[in-house]
mmCIF file of all heavy atoms in Angstrom:
data_model
loop_
_atom_site.group_PDB
_atom_site.id
_atom_site.type_symbol
_atom_site.label_atom_id
_atom_site.label_comp_id
_atom_site.label_asym_id
_atom_site.label_seq_id
_atom_site.Cartn_x
_atom_site.Cartn_y
_atom_site.Cartn_z
ATOM 1 N N PRO A 286 117.874 98.903 92.182
ATOM 2 C CA PRO A 286 118.753 98.526 91.044
ATOM 3 C C PRO A 286 119.738 97.299 91.429
ATOM 4 O O PRO A 286 120.355 96.644 90.476
ATOM 5 C CB PRO A 286 119.575 99.775 90.797
ATOM 6 C CG PRO A 286 119.511 100.641 92.066
ATOM 7 C CD PRO A 286 118.166 100.236 92.642
ATOM 8 N N ASP A 287 119.875 96.949 92.653
ATOM 9 C CA ASP A 287 120.662 95.734 93.080
ATOM 10 C C ASP A 287 119.845 94.504 93.014
ATOM 11 O O ASP A 287 120.474 93.388 93.189
ATOM 12 C CB ASP A 287 121.282 95.974 94.418
ATOM 13 C CG ASP A 287 122.387 96.986 94.539
ATOM 14 O OD1 ASP A 287 122.918 97.291 93.532
ATOM 15 O OD2 ASP A 287 122.633 97.395 95.661
ATOM 16 N N ALA A 288 118.631 94.588 92.800
ATOM 17 C CA ALA A 288 117.791 93.351 92.825
ATOM 18 C C ALA A 288 118.149 92.408 91.778
ATOM 19 O O ALA A 288 118.388 92.685 90.614
ATOM 20 C CB ALA A 288 116.322 93.777 92.742
ATOM 21 N N VAL A 289 118.154 91.109 92.153
ATOM 22 C CA VAL A 289 118.384 90.050 91.280
ATOM 23 C C VAL A 289 117.271 89.051 91.395
ATOM 24 O O VAL A 289 116.967 88.650 92.452
ATOM 25 C CB VAL A 289 119.815 89.289 91.584
ATOM 26 C CG1 VAL A 289 120.009 88.179 90.632
ATOM 27 C CG2 VAL A 289 120.955 90.324 91.536
ATOM 28 N N HIS A 290 116.673 88.703 90.278
ATOM 29 C CA HIS A 290 115.512 87.745 90.420
ATOM 30 C C HIS A 290 115.444 86.945 89.110
ATOM 31 O O HIS A 290 115.902 87.325 88.123
ATOM 32 C CB HIS A 290 114.202 88.569 90.575
ATOM 33 C CG HIS A 290 113.853 89.375 89.416
ATOM 34 N ND1 HIS A 290 113.040 88.900 88.411
ATOM 35 C CD2 HIS A 290 114.136 90.684 89.047
ATOM 36 C CE1 HIS A 290 112.926 89.814 87.557
ATOM 37 N NE2 HIS A 290 113.510 90.872 87.817
ATOM 38 N N ASP A 291 114.679 85.826 89.228
ATOM 39 C CA ASP A 291 114.397 85.011 88.079
ATOM 40 C C ASP A 291 113.107 84.392 88.246
ATOM 41 O O ASP A 291 112.914 83.212 87.940
ATOM 42 C CB ASP A 291 115.562 83.970 87.787
ATOM 43 C CG ASP A 291 115.772 83.145 88.923
ATOM 44 O OD1 ASP A 291 115.121 83.344 90.008
ATOM 45 O OD2 ASP A 291 116.654 82.243 88.886
ATOM 46 N N GLY A 292 112.169 85.129 88.864
ATOM 47 C CA GLY A 292 110.763 84.542 88.926
ATOM 48 C C GLY A 292 110.223 84.277 90.277
ATOM 49 O O GLY A 292 109.042 84.224 90.440
ATOM 50 N N PHE A 293 111.050 83.937 91.191
ATOM 51 C CA PHE A 293 110.725 83.737 92.571
ATOM 52 C C PHE A 293 109.736 82.614 92.772
ATOM 53 O O PHE A 293 109.039 82.493 93.750
ATOM 54 C CB PHE A 293 110.007 84.942 93.211
ATOM 55 C CG PHE A 293 111.072 86.082 93.535
ATOM 56 C CD1 PHE A 293 111.280 87.076 92.729
ATOM 57 C CD2 PHE A 293 111.770 86.030 94.684
ATOM 58 C CE1 PHE A 293 112.221 88.174 92.972
ATOM 59 C CE2 PHE A 293 112.724 87.018 95.097
ATOM 60 C CZ PHE A 293 112.979 88.061 94.237
ATOM 61 N N GLY A 294 109.647 81.602 91.812
ATOM 62 C CA GLY A 294 108.835 80.507 92.019
ATOM 63 C C GLY A 294 107.396 80.773 92.042
ATOM 64 O O GLY A 294 106.658 80.113 92.733
ATOM 65 N N LEU A 295 106.973 81.763 91.280
ATOM 66 C CA LEU A 295 105.550 82.188 91.311
ATOM 67 C C LEU A 295 104.634 81.269 90.511
ATOM 68 O O LEU A 295 103.506 81.468 90.446
ATOM 69 C CB LEU A 295 105.498 83.646 90.743
ATOM 70 C CG LEU A 295 106.151 84.747 91.616
ATOM 71 C CD1 LEU A 295 105.980 86.022 90.832
ATOM 72 C CD2 LEU A 295 105.585 84.825 92.994
ATOM 73 N N ASP A 296 105.173 80.210 89.940
ATOM 74 C CA ASP A 296 104.482 79.312 89.128
ATOM 75 C C ASP A 296 103.803 78.311 89.949
ATOM 76 O O ASP A 296 102.966 77.522 89.458
ATOM 77 C CB ASP A 296 105.347 78.607 88.080
ATOM 78 C CG ASP A 296 106.541 77.891 88.736
ATOM 79 O OD1 ASP A 296 107.043 78.458 89.680
ATOM 80 O OD2 ASP A 296 106.897 76.751 88.269
ATOM 81 N N ARG A 297 104.065 78.039 91.233
ATOM 82 C CA ARG A 297 103.539 77.138 92.052
ATOM 83 C C ARG A 297 102.268 77.773 92.908
ATOM 84 O O ARG A 297 102.339 78.987 93.110
ATOM 85 C CB ARG A 297 104.573 76.501 93.073
ATOM 86 C CG ARG A 297 105.721 75.951 92.328
ATOM 87 C CD ARG A 297 105.395 74.649 91.591
ATOM 88 N NE ARG A 297 106.609 74.179 90.829
ATOM 89 C CZ ARG A 297 107.401 73.329 91.284
ATOM 90 N NH1 ARG A 297 107.346 72.803 92.506
ATOM 91 N NH2 ARG A 297 108.435 72.896 90.457
ATOM 92 N N PRO A 298 101.303 76.868 93.327
ATOM 93 C CA PRO A 298 100.106 77.403 93.860
ATOM 94 C C PRO A 298 100.282 77.912 95.349
ATOM 95 O O PRO A 298 99.338 78.647 95.781
ATOM 96 C CB PRO A 298 99.122 76.255 93.745
ATOM 97 C CG PRO A 298 100.023 75.038 93.786
ATOM 98 C CD PRO A 298 101.243 75.415 93.095
ATOM 99 N N ALA A 299 101.286 77.427 96.032
ATOM 100 C CA ALA A 299 101.371 77.804 97.487
ATOM 101 C C ALA A 299 102.760 78.414 97.777
ATOM 102 O O ALA A 299 103.752 78.044 97.241
ATOM 103 C CB ALA A 299 101.143 76.623 98.328
ATOM 104 N N ALA A 300 102.637 79.352 98.746
ATOM 105 C CA ALA A 300 103.868 80.034 99.265
ATOM 106 C C ALA A 300 103.815 80.037 100.746
ATOM 107 O O ALA A 300 102.730 80.089 101.397
ATOM 108 C CB ALA A 300 103.979 81.473 98.631
ATOM 109 N N VAL A 301 105.016 80.063 101.411
ATOM 110 C CA VAL A 301 105.135 80.175 102.896
ATOM 111 C C VAL A 301 105.986 81.420 103.147
ATOM 112 O O VAL A 301 107.017 81.698 102.554
ATOM 113 C CB VAL A 301 105.820 78.923 103.498
ATOM 114 C CG1 VAL A 301 106.250 79.247 104.953
ATOM 115 C CG2 VAL A 301 104.920 77.719 103.484
ATOM 116 N N VAL A 302 105.401 82.338 103.971
ATOM 117 C CA VAL A 302 106.125 83.449 104.427
ATOM 118 C C VAL A 302 106.369 83.254 105.932
ATOM 119 O O VAL A 302 105.523 83.068 106.721
ATOM 120 C CB VAL A 302 105.308 84.771 104.242
ATOM 121 C CG1 VAL A 302 106.017 86.008 104.879
ATOM 122 C CG2 VAL A 302 105.057 84.981 102.723
ATOM 123 N N ILE A 303 107.644 83.296 106.358
ATOM 124 C CA ILE A 303 108.088 83.030 107.758
ATOM 125 C C ILE A 303 108.310 84.317 108.373
ATOM 126 O O ILE A 303 109.299 85.050 108.019
ATOM 127 C CB ILE A 303 109.223 82.091 107.738
ATOM 128 C CG1 ILE A 303 108.880 80.756 107.070
ATOM 129 C CG2 ILE A 303 109.636 81.848 109.178
ATOM 130 C CD1 ILE A 303 110.049 79.770 106.902
ATOM 131 N N GLY A 304 107.503 84.728 109.407
ATOM 132 C CA GLY A 304 107.719 85.929 110.154
ATOM 133 C C GLY A 304 106.382 86.441 110.532
ATOM 134 O O GLY A 304 105.315 86.067 109.989
ATOM 135 N N ALA A 305 106.431 87.387 111.565
ATOM 136 C CA ALA A 305 105.057 87.961 112.042
ATOM 137 C C ALA A 305 105.267 89.435 112.321
ATOM 138 O O ALA A 305 104.942 89.957 113.359
ATOM 139 C CB ALA A 305 104.605 87.204 113.326
ATOM 140 N N GLY A 306 105.840 90.194 111.297
ATOM 141 C CA GLY A 306 106.009 91.604 111.416
ATOM 142 C C GLY A 306 105.391 92.210 110.208
ATOM 143 O O GLY A 306 104.863 91.526 109.262
ATOM 144 N N ASN A 307 105.584 93.480 110.023
ATOM 145 C CA ASN A 307 105.024 94.232 108.875
ATOM 146 C C ASN A 307 105.577 93.827 107.526
ATOM 147 O O ASN A 307 104.819 93.846 106.511
ATOM 148 C CB ASN A 307 105.209 95.764 109.129
ATOM 149 C CG ASN A 307 104.166 96.326 110.080
ATOM 150 O OD1 ASN A 307 103.115 95.679 110.494
ATOM 151 N ND2 ASN A 307 104.386 97.541 110.536
ATOM 152 N N VAL A 308 106.827 93.428 107.514
ATOM 153 C CA VAL A 308 107.424 93.050 106.278
ATOM 154 C C VAL A 308 106.752 91.703 105.804
ATOM 155 O O VAL A 308 106.450 91.562 104.657
ATOM 156 C CB VAL A 308 108.998 92.868 106.344
ATOM 157 C CG1 VAL A 308 109.487 92.186 105.100
ATOM 158 C CG2 VAL A 308 109.599 94.133 106.637
ATOM 159 N N ALA A 309 106.557 90.815 106.686
ATOM 160 C CA ALA A 309 105.824 89.609 106.364
ATOM 161 C C ALA A 309 104.463 89.868 105.817
ATOM 162 O O ALA A 309 104.047 89.219 104.789
ATOM 163 C CB ALA A 309 105.699 88.630 107.563
ATOM 164 N N VAL A 310 103.763 90.840 106.464
ATOM 165 C CA VAL A 310 102.377 91.116 106.132
ATOM 166 C C VAL A 310 102.525 91.818 104.613
ATOM 167 O O VAL A 310 101.627 91.498 103.766
ATOM 168 C CB VAL A 310 101.690 92.134 107.045
ATOM 169 C CG1 VAL A 310 100.371 92.573 106.522
ATOM 170 C CG2 VAL A 310 101.539 91.455 108.356
ATOM 171 N N ASP A 311 103.518 92.706 104.371
ATOM 172 C CA ASP A 311 103.635 93.291 103.066
ATOM 173 C C ASP A 311 103.805 92.308 101.891
ATOM 174 O O ASP A 311 103.081 92.416 100.930
ATOM 175 C CB ASP A 311 104.797 94.241 103.101
ATOM 176 C CG ASP A 311 104.456 95.629 103.745
ATOM 177 O OD1 ASP A 311 103.229 95.858 103.905
ATOM 178 O OD2 ASP A 311 105.408 96.469 103.901
ATOM 179 N N VAL A 312 104.755 91.402 102.133
ATOM 180 C CA VAL A 312 105.023 90.482 101.038
ATOM 181 C C VAL A 312 103.897 89.486 100.757
ATOM 182 O O VAL A 312 103.538 89.089 99.699
ATOM 183 C CB VAL A 312 106.339 89.694 101.249
ATOM 184 C CG1 VAL A 312 107.570 90.727 101.227
ATOM 185 C CG2 VAL A 312 106.356 88.777 102.476
#
Side-chain angles (χ1 to χ4, degrees):
D287 287 342
V289 177
H290 69 89
D291 55 0
F293 285 99
L295 298 176
D296 57 321
R297 303 293 175 89
V301 167
V302 175
I303 299 172
N307 281 347
V308 174
V310 175
D311 277 350
V312 298

